[in-house]
Amino acid sequence: MEKALKLQGEFLVNVSHELKTPLNVIFATAQLFKMYCDTGSLDDKKDSIVKYIDSIKQNSYRLSKIINNIVDLSKIEAGFFKLNLSNNNVVEVVEEIVMSVTTLTDSKGLNIIFDTDSEENIIACDSEKIERIVLNLISNAIKFSHAGDEIFVDVTSNDKFVEISVRDNGIGIEEKDLDMIFDRFKQVDKSLSRNAEGTGIGLSLVKSIVELHGGSINVESEFGKGSKFTVKLPKVKVLHENMIYSSNVRSKDENIQVELSDVYS
Ligand code: ADP
């Protein structure tokens, strides 16, 4: 109980910091715009205003991500988080996600490579949630890699399972920390991930969503050499596809922007 309370306390401090950073940017930009209005310099500053609007958008995405994650974790805990299962080609879902992040990885000097042992693997999954899982793992791979590094996203399968793996050759994770990174609110030593934003929710959410699919997730890592996260999903199909309900009111593009909001700069 004491440990849980301490972790929760650390989480609140982290979350407040994570919420405050984008809020401060938005607030400061509002003040700047007001100053431009007061001094009648709106027209002169048009170019920089366009840039500031982008930054407001980016920081709003970051706020959205943190809030979504907190709400989803609470839903999972309360048992209200529902999957929208239908039979989907998981290879295509993952490949599309990889394609959608190449502009970002290019801009960071990272090379992302997709590979699969089969063009089609149709399984029962919630494609929107699978996208979220993969984006979360890719987002971490980007956060904890350096320019020039590579990220490999592979989809392989056997009779029983489809495996999606995201491997990077970034900073890696110390063995003593491997067990706890899926714990709620847990981040490895802040000094190592200083350049990275985060609340420590991502992986715990990923794990819960994978488990709701009847799957599992594991990590292999060597400190200083890189990490590999493997998601194992059972090869099953649903008889009754749930296509009617969709919680997703945002466009797919926007989902990607939200999920990757802490690695855009
Ligand atoms: P956060 O939002 O803080 O990134 P996560 O739950 O996604 O939270 O990750 C928890 C911690 O696991 C991170 O803070 C980081 O220390 C470690 N981690 C996750 N993915 C990687 C990776 N690919 N390489 C190195 N460390 C990682």
Side-chain angles (χ1 to χ4, degrees):
M1 175 71 105
E2 211 171 281
K3 220 176 126 195
L5 281 174
K6 185 168 173 274
L7 215 53
Q8 195 136 349
E10 276 172 24
F11 169 71
L12 281 177
V13 173
N14 261 347
V15 152
S16 318
H17 169 78
E18 289 296 312
L19 290 172
K20 265 193 208 150
T21 316
L23 259 184
N24 283 340
V25 176
I26 296 170
F27 189 57
T29 317
Q31 281 177 315
L32 192 71
F33 285 179
K34 171 144 191 342
M35 196 183 82
Y36 288 166
C37 287
D38 291 347
T39 54
S41 51
L42 272 179
D43 262 344
D44 296 346
K45 303 283 185 190
K46 206 168 159 203
D47 286 348
S48 65
I49 289 175
V50 171
K51 267 205 332 243
Y52 285 125
I53 291 174
D54 273 349
S55 135
I56 292 180
K57 230 172 128 181
Q58 191 49 39
N59 283 282
S60 305
Y61 286 140
R62 263 178 76 183
L63 287 176
S64 276
K65 179 176 175 180
I66 299 168
I67 294 163
N68 286 347
N69 282 355
I70 295 173
V71 170
D72 285 348
L73 261 192
S74 315
K75 277 192 192 161
I76 287 174
E77 250 172 24
F80 290 138
F81 190 87
K82 294 273 175 287
L83 291 182
N84 202 7
L85 288 181
S86 57
N87 299 322
N88 295 290
N89 181 5
V90 73
V91 181
E92 198 178 7
V93 175
V94 177
E95 186 170 12
E96 269 184 29
I97 287 297
V98 174
M99 293 307 142
S100 69
V101 303
T102 50
T103 321
L104 175 67
T105 46
D106 282 352
S107 75
K108 302 242 166 216
L110 295 164
N111 195 15
I112 189 161
I113 298 147
F114 173 79
D115 197 12
T116 177
D117 63 2
S118 154
E119 284 310 312
E120 194 176 89
N121 242 314
I122 297 175
I123 58 164
C125 61
D126 181 331
S127 55
E128 193 195 302
K129 307 285 185 322
I130 299 293
E131 280 166 14
R132 230 168 128 189
I133 290 171
V134 178
L135 277 173
N136 223 302
L137 297 178
I138 293 179
S139 154
N140 276 344
I142 296 174
K143 264 200 250 179
F144 301 107
S145 294
H146 304 110
D149 286 348
E150 292 188 305
I151 299 168
F152 300 89
V153 181
D154 293 327
V155 183
T156 54
S157 69
N158 57 31
D159 298 350
K160 294 203 173 108
F161 296 100
V162 174
E163 286 192 359
I164 307 167
S165 67
V166 178
R167 177 162 66 88
D168 63 69
N169 45 17
I171 67 168
I173 303 161
E174 278 189 88
E175 200 171 339
K176 67 173 174 53
D177 296 323
L178 279 179
D179 278 348
M180 65 176 195
I181 57 166
F182 294 107
D183 291 353
R184 202 151 301 176
F185 319 143
K186 205 67 211 177
Q187 290 179 300
V188 176
D189 182 14
K190 264 289 193 185
S191 61
L192 268 180
S193 47
R194 193 159 283 257
N195 63 340
E197 306 292 342
T199 48
I201 301 185
L203 283 177
S204 118
L205 199 61
V206 162
K207 185 169 185 251
S208 299
I209 301 176
V210 171
E211 285 172 354
L212 282 173
H213 277 87
S216 61
I217 179 164
N218 85 299
V219 59
E220 297 156 69
S221 185
E222 207 177 322
F223 191 52
K225 294 236 168 106
S227 315
K228 180 181 179 186
F229 288 83
T230 308
V231 170
K232 219 166 151 180
L233 297 171
K235 242 180 163 177
V236 287
K237 288 200 180 126
V238 274
L239 288 177
H240 303 289
E241 296 187 283
N242 183 2
M243 309 289 275
I244 310 153
Y245 162 79
S246 171
S247 60
N248 196 357
V249 283
R250 290 190 308 254
S251 72
K252 188 167 169 175
D253 232 32
E254 226 166 18
N255 283 336
I256 294 170
Q257 304 251 37
V258 169
E259 289 307 320
L260 295 178
S261 56
D262 40 6
V263 284
Y264 273 105
S265 57

Short mmCIF file of all heavy atoms in Angstrom, two decimals, residues 4-63:
data_model
loop_
_atom_site.label_atom_id
_atom_site.label_comp_id
_atom_site.label_asym_id
_atom_site.label_seq_id
_atom_site.Cartn_x
_atom_site.Cartn_y
_atom_site.Cartn_z
N ALA A 4 2.43 1.67 -3.33
CA ALA A 4 1.44 2.13 -4.30
C ALA A 4 1.19 3.63 -4.14
O ALA A 4 1.10 4.38 -5.12
CB ALA A 4 0.14 1.36 -4.14
N LEU A 5 1.11 4.06 -2.87
CA LEU A 5 0.85 5.49 -2.61
C LEU A 5 2.03 6.34 -3.08
O LEU A 5 1.84 7.42 -3.64
CB LEU A 5 0.61 5.72 -1.12
CG LEU A 5 -0.79 5.35 -0.63
CD1 LEU A 5 -0.89 5.48 0.88
CD2 LEU A 5 -1.85 6.22 -1.32
N LYS A 6 3.24 5.81 -2.86
CA LYS A 6 4.44 6.56 -3.26
C LYS A 6 4.46 6.71 -4.78
O LYS A 6 4.71 7.80 -5.31
CB LYS A 6 5.69 5.82 -2.76
CG LYS A 6 6.97 6.58 -3.02
CD LYS A 6 8.15 5.96 -2.27
CE LYS A 6 9.45 6.63 -2.67
NZ LYS A 6 10.04 6.02 -3.85
N LEU A 7 4.15 5.60 -5.46
CA LEU A 7 4.13 5.61 -6.92
C LEU A 7 3.07 6.59 -7.44
O LEU A 7 3.29 7.33 -8.40
CB LEU A 7 3.82 4.19 -7.42
CG LEU A 7 4.50 3.74 -8.69
CD1 LEU A 7 6.00 3.94 -8.58
CD2 LEU A 7 4.22 2.27 -8.94
N GLN A 8 1.92 6.58 -6.77
CA GLN A 8 0.84 7.48 -7.17
C GLN A 8 1.25 8.94 -6.97
O GLN A 8 0.94 9.80 -7.79
CB GLN A 8 -0.39 7.17 -6.33
CG GLN A 8 -1.63 7.77 -6.90
CD GLN A 8 -2.78 6.76 -6.87
OE1 GLN A 8 -2.56 5.58 -6.61
NE2 GLN A 8 -3.98 7.20 -7.12
N GLY A 9 1.98 9.18 -5.87
CA GLY A 9 2.46 10.53 -5.59
C GLY A 9 3.41 10.99 -6.68
O GLY A 9 3.29 12.10 -7.21
N GLU A 10 4.36 10.09 -7.03
CA GLU A 10 5.33 10.40 -8.09
C GLU A 10 4.59 10.68 -9.39
O GLU A 10 4.92 11.59 -10.15
CB GLU A 10 6.27 9.22 -8.32
CG GLU A 10 7.43 9.16 -7.38
CD GLU A 10 8.21 7.86 -7.55
OE1 GLU A 10 8.15 7.25 -8.63
OE2 GLU A 10 8.88 7.45 -6.58
N PHE A 11 3.55 9.89 -9.64
CA PHE A 11 2.78 10.04 -10.87
C PHE A 11 2.13 11.42 -10.94
O PHE A 11 2.17 12.10 -11.97
CB PHE A 11 1.71 8.94 -10.94
CG PHE A 11 0.70 9.16 -12.02
CD1 PHE A 11 1.07 9.01 -13.35
CD2 PHE A 11 -0.60 9.52 -11.73
CE1 PHE A 11 0.15 9.22 -14.37
CE2 PHE A 11 -1.52 9.73 -12.74
CZ PHE A 11 -1.15 9.58 -14.05
N LEU A 12 1.56 11.85 -9.80
CA LEU A 12 0.89 13.16 -9.80
C LEU A 12 1.88 14.28 -10.10
O LEU A 12 1.58 15.20 -10.86
CB LEU A 12 0.21 13.41 -8.45
CG LEU A 12 -1.12 12.68 -8.29
CD1 LEU A 12 -1.71 12.91 -6.91
CD2 LEU A 12 -2.13 13.14 -9.36
N VAL A 13 3.08 14.16 -9.53
CA VAL A 13 4.11 15.18 -9.78
C VAL A 13 4.46 15.17 -11.27
O VAL A 13 4.52 16.21 -11.93
CB VAL A 13 5.37 14.91 -8.92
CG1 VAL A 13 6.50 15.86 -9.29
CG2 VAL A 13 5.03 15.03 -7.45
N ASN A 14 4.67 13.95 -11.80
CA ASN A 14 5.01 13.81 -13.23
C ASN A 14 3.93 14.36 -14.13
O ASN A 14 4.20 15.11 -15.06
CB ASN A 14 5.13 12.32 -13.57
CG ASN A 14 6.55 11.88 -13.59
OD1 ASN A 14 7.44 12.71 -13.58
ND2 ASN A 14 6.77 10.59 -13.61
N VAL A 15 2.69 13.96 -13.84
CA VAL A 15 1.57 14.38 -14.68
C VAL A 15 1.40 15.89 -14.62
O VAL A 15 1.19 16.54 -15.65
CB VAL A 15 0.27 13.64 -14.26
CG1 VAL A 15 -0.95 14.45 -14.57
CG2 VAL A 15 0.18 12.33 -15.00
N SER A 16 1.54 16.46 -13.42
CA SER A 16 1.38 17.92 -13.32
C SER A 16 2.42 18.60 -14.18
O SER A 16 2.14 19.57 -14.89
CB SER A 16 1.53 18.41 -11.89
OG SER A 16 0.87 17.55 -11.04
N HIS A 17 3.65 18.08 -14.13
CA HIS A 17 4.72 18.67 -14.93
C HIS A 17 4.39 18.52 -16.42
O HIS A 17 4.52 19.47 -17.20
CB HIS A 17 6.05 17.99 -14.60
CG HIS A 17 7.14 18.36 -15.56
ND1 HIS A 17 7.81 19.56 -15.47
CD2 HIS A 17 7.64 17.69 -16.62
CE1 HIS A 17 8.68 19.60 -16.46
NE2 HIS A 17 8.61 18.49 -17.17
N GLU A 18 3.96 17.32 -16.79
CA GLU A 18 3.65 17.04 -18.21
C GLU A 18 2.49 17.90 -18.71
O GLU A 18 2.45 18.26 -19.87
CB GLU A 18 3.30 15.56 -18.38
CG GLU A 18 4.48 14.64 -18.24
CD GLU A 18 5.51 14.87 -19.33
OE1 GLU A 18 5.13 14.95 -20.50
OE2 GLU A 18 6.71 14.98 -18.99
N LEU A 19 1.53 18.19 -17.81
CA LEU A 19 0.39 19.02 -18.22
C LEU A 19 0.80 20.49 -18.29
O LEU A 19 0.36 21.23 -19.15
CB LEU A 19 -0.78 18.87 -17.25
CG LEU A 19 -1.52 17.54 -17.25
CD1 LEU A 19 -2.52 17.49 -16.09
CD2 LEU A 19 -2.28 17.32 -18.56
N LYS A 20 1.68 20.87 -17.35
CA LYS A 20 2.05 22.28 -17.26
C LYS A 20 2.89 22.73 -18.44
O LYS A 20 2.74 23.86 -18.91
CB LYS A 20 2.82 22.53 -15.97
CG LYS A 20 1.94 23.02 -14.86
CD LYS A 20 2.83 23.55 -13.76
CE LYS A 20 2.19 23.43 -12.40
NZ LYS A 20 3.19 23.25 -11.36
N THR A 21 3.78 21.85 -18.91
CA THR A 21 4.69 22.27 -19.98
C THR A 21 3.91 22.74 -21.22
O THR A 21 4.09 23.87 -21.66
CB THR A 21 5.71 21.16 -20.31
OG1 THR A 21 6.18 20.64 -19.09
CG2 THR A 21 6.84 21.65 -21.16
N PRO A 22 3.03 21.89 -21.80
CA PRO A 22 2.28 22.38 -22.97
C PRO A 22 1.36 23.55 -22.63
O PRO A 22 1.20 24.47 -23.44
CB PRO A 22 1.47 21.17 -23.43
CG PRO A 22 1.60 20.14 -22.40
CD PRO A 22 2.75 20.48 -21.52
N LEU A 23 0.79 23.52 -21.41
CA LEU A 23 -0.10 24.63 -21.04
C LEU A 23 0.66 25.96 -21.04
O LEU A 23 0.15 26.98 -21.52
CB LEU A 23 -0.65 24.40 -19.64
CG LEU A 23 -2.06 23.86 -19.53
CD1 LEU A 23 -2.47 23.78 -18.07
CD2 LEU A 23 -3.05 24.74 -20.28
N ASN A 24 1.88 25.93 -20.49
CA ASN A 24 2.68 27.15 -20.45
C ASN A 24 2.96 27.68 -21.85
O ASN A 24 2.93 28.89 -22.08
CB ASN A 24 4.02 26.90 -19.74
CG ASN A 24 3.82 26.86 -18.25
OD1 ASN A 24 2.82 27.36 -17.73
ND2 ASN A 24 4.77 26.25 -17.54
N VAL A 25 3.25 26.75 -22.78
CA VAL A 25 3.53 27.18 -24.16
C VAL A 25 2.29 27.86 -24.75
O VAL A 25 2.38 28.94 -25.34
CB VAL A 25 3.93 25.97 -25.05
CG1 VAL A 25 4.13 26.39 -26.49
CG2 VAL A 25 5.19 25.30 -24.51
N ILE A 26 1.14 27.23 -24.55
CA ILE A 26 -0.10 27.78 -25.10
C ILE A 26 -0.39 29.15 -24.46
O ILE A 26 -0.73 30.13 -25.14
CB ILE A 26 -1.28 26.80 -24.89
CG1 ILE A 26 -1.02 25.51 -25.68
CG2 ILE A 26 -2.61 27.43 -25.29
CD1 ILE A 26 -1.97 24.37 -25.39
N PHE A 27 -0.21 29.22 -23.16
CA PHE A 27 -0.47 30.45 -22.42
C PHE A 27 0.46 31.59 -22.90
O PHE A 27 0.00 32.70 -23.18
CB PHE A 27 -0.27 30.18 -20.93
CG PHE A 27 -0.71 31.30 -20.05
CD1 PHE A 27 -2.00 31.79 -20.10
CD2 PHE A 27 0.18 31.87 -19.15
CE1 PHE A 27 -2.41 32.83 -19.28
CE2 PHE A 27 -0.21 32.92 -18.33
CZ PHE A 27 -1.52 33.40 -18.39
N ALA A 28 1.73 31.27 -23.00
CA ALA A 28 2.71 32.28 -23.42
C ALA A 28 2.39 32.77 -24.84
O ALA A 28 2.53 33.96 -25.15
CB ALA A 28 4.12 31.70 -23.36
N THR A 29 1.96 31.84 -25.70
CA THR A 29 1.64 32.23 -27.07
C THR A 29 0.43 33.15 -27.10
O THR A 29 0.39 34.13 -27.86
CB THR A 29 1.39 30.97 -27.94
OG1 THR A 29 2.36 29.99 -27.63
CG2 THR A 29 1.47 31.27 -29.42
N ALA A 30 -0.55 32.86 -26.25
CA ALA A 30 -1.74 33.72 -26.17
C ALA A 30 -1.33 35.13 -25.76
O ALA A 30 -1.82 36.13 -26.33
CB ALA A 30 -2.74 33.14 -25.18
N GLN A 31 -0.41 35.20 -24.81
CA GLN A 31 0.05 36.53 -24.35
C GLN A 31 0.76 37.29 -25.47
O GLN A 31 0.57 38.49 -25.65
CB GLN A 31 0.99 36.37 -23.16
CG GLN A 31 0.25 36.11 -21.88
CD GLN A 31 1.20 35.90 -20.72
OE1 GLN A 31 2.18 35.17 -20.85
NE2 GLN A 31 0.91 36.51 -19.60
N LEU A 32 1.55 36.53 -26.24
CA LEU A 32 2.28 37.14 -27.35
C LEU A 32 1.31 37.69 -28.40
O LEU A 32 1.46 38.82 -28.88
CB LEU A 32 3.19 36.08 -27.96
CG LEU A 32 4.24 36.57 -28.94
CD1 LEU A 32 5.32 37.32 -28.19
CD2 LEU A 32 4.87 35.38 -29.68
N PHE A 33 0.28 36.87 -28.72
CA PHE A 33 -0.72 37.31 -29.71
C PHE A 33 -1.43 38.56 -29.22
O PHE A 33 -1.71 39.47 -29.98
CB PHE A 33 -1.76 36.20 -29.95
CG PHE A 33 -1.25 35.06 -30.81
CD1 PHE A 33 -2.06 33.96 -31.11
CD2 PHE A 33 0.04 35.07 -31.32
CE1 PHE A 33 -1.59 32.91 -31.90
CE2 PHE A 33 0.52 34.02 -32.09
CZ PHE A 33 -0.30 32.94 -32.37
N LYS A 34 -1.68 38.61 -27.92
CA LYS A 34 -2.36 39.78 -27.37
C LYS A 34 -1.48 41.02 -27.55
O LYS A 34 -1.95 42.10 -27.93
CB LYS A 34 -2.69 39.55 -25.89
CG LYS A 34 -3.21 40.79 -25.19
CD LYS A 34 -4.27 40.50 -24.18
CE LYS A 34 -4.99 41.72 -23.66
NZ LYS A 34 -4.39 43.02 -23.84
N MET A 35 -0.18 40.80 -27.32
CA MET A 35 0.75 41.93 -27.46
C MET A 35 0.78 42.41 -28.92
O MET A 35 0.76 43.62 -29.18
CB MET A 35 2.15 41.48 -27.03
CG MET A 35 3.11 42.59 -26.77
SD MET A 35 4.70 41.89 -26.38
CE MET A 35 5.35 41.57 -28.00
N TYR A 36 0.79 41.46 -29.86
CA TYR A 36 0.76 41.82 -31.29
C TYR A 36 -0.51 42.62 -31.60
O TYR A 36 -0.47 43.59 -32.36
CB TYR A 36 0.78 40.56 -32.17
CG TYR A 36 2.11 39.83 -32.21
CD1 TYR A 36 2.18 38.53 -32.72
CD2 TYR A 36 3.29 40.42 -31.76
CE1 TYR A 36 3.38 37.84 -32.77
CE2 TYR A 36 4.49 39.73 -31.81
CZ TYR A 36 4.53 38.44 -32.30
OH TYR A 36 5.72 37.77 -32.35
N CYS A 37 -1.64 42.21 -30.99
CA CYS A 37 -2.91 42.93 -31.22
C CYS A 37 -2.81 44.35 -30.67
O CYS A 37 -3.16 45.32 -31.35
CB CYS A 37 -4.07 42.23 -30.51
SG CYS A 37 -4.56 40.71 -31.28
N ASP A 38 -2.29 44.43 -29.43
CA ASP A 38 -2.22 45.75 -28.76
C ASP A 38 -1.32 46.71 -29.53
O ASP A 38 -1.57 47.91 -29.56
CB ASP A 38 -1.69 45.60 -27.32
CG ASP A 38 -2.71 44.90 -26.44
OD1 ASP A 38 -3.87 44.77 -26.88
OD2 ASP A 38 -2.33 44.46 -25.33
N THR A 39 -0.24 46.18 -30.11
CA THR A 39 0.72 47.07 -30.78
C THR A 39 0.42 47.19 -32.28
O THR A 39 1.17 47.82 -33.02
CB THR A 39 2.17 46.55 -30.60
OG1 THR A 39 2.21 45.19 -31.06
CG2 THR A 39 2.63 46.63 -29.16
N GLY A 40 -0.64 46.54 -32.72
CA GLY A 40 -1.04 46.62 -34.13
C GLY A 40 -0.04 45.97 -35.08
O GLY A 40 0.08 46.37 -36.24
N SER A 41 0.71 44.96 -34.57
CA SER A 41 1.75 44.36 -35.43
C SER A 41 1.35 42.98 -35.97
O SER A 41 2.21 42.22 -36.42
CB SER A 41 3.07 44.28 -34.67
OG SER A 41 2.87 43.66 -33.43
N LEU A 42 0.05 42.66 -35.91
CA LEU A 42 -0.40 41.33 -36.35
C LEU A 42 0.03 41.02 -37.78
O LEU A 42 0.51 39.92 -38.07
CB LEU A 42 -1.92 41.23 -36.25
CG LEU A 42 -2.50 40.78 -34.92
CD1 LEU A 42 -4.02 40.77 -34.97
CD2 LEU A 42 -1.98 39.41 -34.52
N ASP A 43 -0.15 42.01 -38.67
CA ASP A 43 0.16 41.78 -40.09
C ASP A 43 1.65 41.54 -40.30
O ASP A 43 2.04 40.62 -41.01
CB ASP A 43 -0.31 42.96 -40.94
CG ASP A 43 -1.67 42.62 -41.56
OD1 ASP A 43 -2.02 41.43 -41.55
OD2 ASP A 43 -2.36 43.56 -42.02
N ASP A 44 2.47 42.38 -39.65
CA ASP A 44 3.94 42.25 -39.79
C ASP A 44 4.42 40.89 -39.33
O ASP A 44 5.40 40.35 -39.83
CB ASP A 44 4.68 43.27 -38.90
CG ASP A 44 4.38 44.68 -39.34
OD1 ASP A 44 3.85 44.84 -40.45
OD2 ASP A 44 4.67 45.62 -38.56
N LYS A 45 3.77 40.35 -38.30
CA LYS A 45 4.25 39.12 -37.66
C LYS A 45 3.58 37.85 -38.22
O LYS A 45 3.65 36.80 -37.61
CB LYS A 45 3.97 39.18 -36.15
CG LYS A 45 4.56 40.35 -35.45
CD LYS A 45 6.05 40.15 -35.23
CE LYS A 45 6.63 41.28 -34.42
NZ LYS A 45 8.08 41.26 -34.38
N LYS A 46 2.93 38.02 -39.38
CA LYS A 46 2.11 36.90 -39.88
C LYS A 46 2.88 35.57 -39.94
O LYS A 46 2.39 34.53 -39.51
CB LYS A 46 1.59 37.26 -41.28
CG LYS A 46 0.32 36.52 -41.59
CD LYS A 46 -0.34 37.07 -42.80
CE LYS A 46 -1.28 36.03 -43.36
NZ LYS A 46 -1.55 36.22 -44.76
N ASP A 47 4.12 35.61 -40.44
CA ASP A 47 4.89 34.37 -40.60
C ASP A 47 5.14 33.68 -39.27
O ASP A 47 4.97 32.47 -39.13
CB ASP A 47 6.24 34.64 -41.28
CG ASP A 47 6.01 34.92 -42.76
OD1 ASP A 47 4.89 34.68 -43.23
OD2 ASP A 47 6.96 35.41 -43.42
N SER A 48 5.55 34.49 -38.29
CA SER A 48 5.84 33.85 -37.01
C SER A 48 4.54 33.40 -36.34
O SER A 48 4.52 32.39 -35.63
CB SER A 48 6.65 34.76 -36.09
OG SER A 48 5.92 35.88 -35.74
N ILE A 49 3.45 34.11 -36.61
CA ILE A 49 2.17 33.69 -36.02
C ILE A 49 1.77 32.30 -36.51
O ILE A 49 1.34 31.45 -35.75
CB ILE A 49 1.06 34.74 -36.31
CG1 ILE A 49 1.34 36.00 -35.49
CG2 ILE A 49 -0.33 34.18 -35.99
CD1 ILE A 49 0.40 37.15 -35.75
N VAL A 50 1.99 32.06 -37.81
CA VAL A 50 1.66 30.74 -38.37
C VAL A 50 2.44 29.65 -37.63
O VAL A 50 1.91 28.60 -37.28
CB VAL A 50 1.94 30.72 -39.89
CG1 VAL A 50 1.83 29.32 -40.45
CG2 VAL A 50 1.00 31.67 -40.62
N LYS A 51 3.73 29.94 -37.35
CA LYS A 51 4.55 28.97 -36.62
C LYS A 51 4.02 28.75 -35.20
O LYS A 51 3.95 27.64 -34.70
CB LYS A 51 6.00 29.47 -36.55
CG LYS A 51 6.84 28.94 -37.67
CD LYS A 51 8.34 28.85 -37.43
CE LYS A 51 8.99 29.80 -36.50
NZ LYS A 51 9.99 30.70 -37.08
N TYR A 52 3.63 29.86 -34.56
CA TYR A 52 3.11 29.74 -33.20
C TYR A 52 1.81 28.95 -33.16
O TYR A 52 1.53 28.22 -32.22
CB TYR A 52 2.90 31.12 -32.57
CG TYR A 52 4.20 31.78 -32.17
CD1 TYR A 52 4.54 33.05 -32.62
CD2 TYR A 52 5.09 31.12 -31.31
CE1 TYR A 52 5.73 33.64 -32.26
CE2 TYR A 52 6.28 31.71 -30.95
CZ TYR A 52 6.60 32.97 -31.42
OH TYR A 52 7.79 33.55 -31.04
N ILE A 53 0.99 29.11 -34.21
CA ILE A 53 -0.27 28.36 -34.26
C ILE A 53 0.03 26.86 -34.31
O ILE A 53 -0.61 26.05 -33.63
CB ILE A 53 -1.16 28.81 -35.45
CG1 ILE A 53 -1.67 30.23 -35.18
CG2 ILE A 53 -2.33 27.85 -35.67
CD1 ILE A 53 -2.43 30.87 -36.31
N ASP A 54 1.04 26.48 -35.09
CA ASP A 54 1.46 25.07 -35.15
C ASP A 54 1.86 24.57 -33.77
O ASP A 54 1.55 23.44 -33.38
CB ASP A 54 2.68 24.92 -36.07
CG ASP A 54 2.24 24.72 -37.51
OD1 ASP A 54 1.03 24.51 -37.71
OD2 ASP A 54 3.10 24.80 -38.41
N SER A 55 2.57 25.43 -33.06
CA SER A 55 3.04 25.00 -31.75
C SER A 55 1.86 24.88 -30.77
O SER A 55 1.84 23.98 -29.92
CB SER A 55 4.13 25.96 -31.27
OG SER A 55 3.96 26.33 -29.97
N ILE A 56 0.85 25.74 -30.91
CA ILE A 56 -0.35 25.60 -30.07
C ILE A 56 -1.01 24.26 -30.36
O ILE A 56 -1.40 23.52 -29.45
CB ILE A 56 -1.36 26.74 -30.34
CG1 ILE A 56 -0.79 28.08 -29.87
CG2 ILE A 56 -2.70 26.47 -29.68
CD1 ILE A 56 -1.71 29.27 -30.11
N LYS A 57 -1.09 23.92 -31.66
CA LYS A 57 -1.73 22.67 -32.05
C LYS A 57 -0.96 21.47 -31.47
O LYS A 57 -1.54 20.57 -30.88
CB LYS A 57 -1.72 22.58 -33.59
CG LYS A 57 -3.08 22.25 -34.16
CD LYS A 57 -3.05 22.36 -35.65
CE LYS A 57 -3.57 21.14 -36.30
NZ LYS A 57 -3.53 21.21 -37.76
N GLN A 58 0.36 21.52 -31.64
CA GLN A 58 1.21 20.44 -31.18
C GLN A 58 1.07 20.22 -29.67
O GLN A 58 0.95 19.09 -29.19
CB GLN A 58 2.67 20.78 -31.53
CG GLN A 58 3.64 19.66 -31.36
CD GLN A 58 3.13 18.40 -32.03
OE1 GLN A 58 2.55 18.44 -33.10
NE2 GLN A 58 3.31 17.28 -31.35
N ASN A 59 1.05 21.32 -28.95
CA ASN A 59 0.95 21.21 -27.50
C ASN A 59 -0.46 20.79 -27.07
O ASN A 59 -0.62 20.15 -26.03
CB ASN A 59 1.40 22.50 -26.83
CG ASN A 59 2.91 22.59 -26.82
OD1 ASN A 59 3.56 21.94 -26.00
ND2 ASN A 59 3.49 23.33 -27.76
N SER A 60 -1.45 21.13 -27.87
CA SER A 60 -2.82 20.66 -27.57
C SER A 60 -2.88 19.15 -27.77
O SER A 60 -3.53 18.44 -26.99
CB SER A 60 -3.85 21.33 -28.48
OG SER A 60 -3.72 22.72 -28.39
N TYR A 61 -2.20 18.64 -28.80
CA TYR A 61 -2.14 17.19 -29.01
C TYR A 61 -1.51 16.49 -27.81
O TYR A 61 -1.94 15.43 -27.37
CB TYR A 61 -1.33 16.84 -30.27
CG TYR A 61 -2.03 17.12 -31.57
CD1 TYR A 61 -1.34 17.65 -32.65
CD2 TYR A 61 -3.38 16.84 -31.73
CE1 TYR A 61 -1.97 17.91 -33.87
CE2 TYR A 61 -4.02 17.10 -32.94
CZ TYR A 61 -3.31 17.62 -34.00
OH TYR A 61 -3.94 17.86 -35.18
N ARG A 62 -0.46 17.12 -27.29
CA ARG A 62 0.21 16.52 -26.14
C ARG A 62 -0.73 16.44 -24.94
O ARG A 62 -0.79 15.43 -24.25
CB ARG A 62 1.44 17.33 -25.76
CG ARG A 62 2.69 16.74 -26.35
CD ARG A 62 3.90 17.56 -26.02
NE ARG A 62 4.35 17.38 -24.65
CZ ARG A 62 5.36 18.06 -24.13
NH1 ARG A 62 6.01 18.95 -24.86
NH2 ARG A 62 5.72 17.86 -22.90
N LEU A 63 -1.46 17.53 -24.73
CA LEU A 63 -2.43 17.53 -23.62
C LEU A 63 -3.48 16.45 -23.84
O LEU A 63 -3.83 15.72 -22.93
CB LEU A 63 -3.12 18.90 -23.52
CG LEU A 63 -2.27 20.04 -22.97
CD1 LEU A 63 -3.05 21.35 -23.01
CD2 LEU A 63 -1.85 19.74 -21.54
#
